Amino acid sequence: MRYELAKQFSEFKLPNEVKQAAKAGVQLIGSLNFTKMMMFANEVQLTNDDIDYFMNMRPQRQEDESYDDMKMRGKFSKALLKYRPHLYDYSVYKK
């Protein structure tokens, strides 16, 4: 399941209503890329384990993946890294 998240993210499209609202000048929660990541994370119920899985993978091709799969995973990992402070659930850690 985790490995398929990168492919699902690359195929995920924002709803037309959101794109039209952005063109009309309606204030969104952030940029279109940020909105895409937040809507995707909500749809697939992204967990801390999923984020950690992709953050801990080496940025090189795995034995069982093609070059295109590696590029998809890389883009997804970069998006996760960029938006990690907004996605990661820090409340599970006790002080």
Side-chain angles (χ1 to χ4, degrees):
M1 170 72 181
R2 287 184 185 162
Y3 206 77
E4 297 168 357
L5 285 174
K7 185 173 182 177
Q8 289 176 355
F9 180 72
S10 68
E11 295 171 351
F12 184 78
K13 303 291 183 210
L14 281 173
N16 287 333
E17 299 85 29
V18 174
K19 290 180 182 179
Q20 290 172 355
K23 286 182 183 177
V26 174
Q27 180 66 33
L28 300 175
I29 58 172
S31 67
L32 286 177
N33 290 335
F34 179 78
T35 304
K36 177 183 176 183
M37 177 54 87
M38 294 302 124
M39 291 182 80
F40 174 76
N42 188 39
E43 183 177 301
V44 299
Q45 299 298 312
L46 200 64
T47 64
N48 287 355
D49 291 336
D50 297 327
I51 295 170
D52 290 339
Y53 176 79
F54 282 97
M55 293 292 102
N56 292 322
M57 289 185 80
R58 291 181 162 192
Q60 64 189 25
R61 197 170 102 182
Q62 306 298 314
E63 293 177 8
D64 61 337
E65 71 181 347
S66 68
Y67 180 73
D68 292 333
D69 291 342
M70 181 194 71
K71 287 177 66 176
M72 271 191 299
R73 181 177 49 84
K75 288 180 182 179
F76 183 57
S77 293
K78 286 179 184 176
L80 282 176
L81 180 63
K82 183 174 183 179
Y83 301 121
R84 182 179 182 170
H86 305 285
L87 294 170
Y88 211 77
D89 182 15
Y90 294 100
S91 67
V92 298
Y93 301 107
K94 297 182 180 175
K95 292 183 179 181

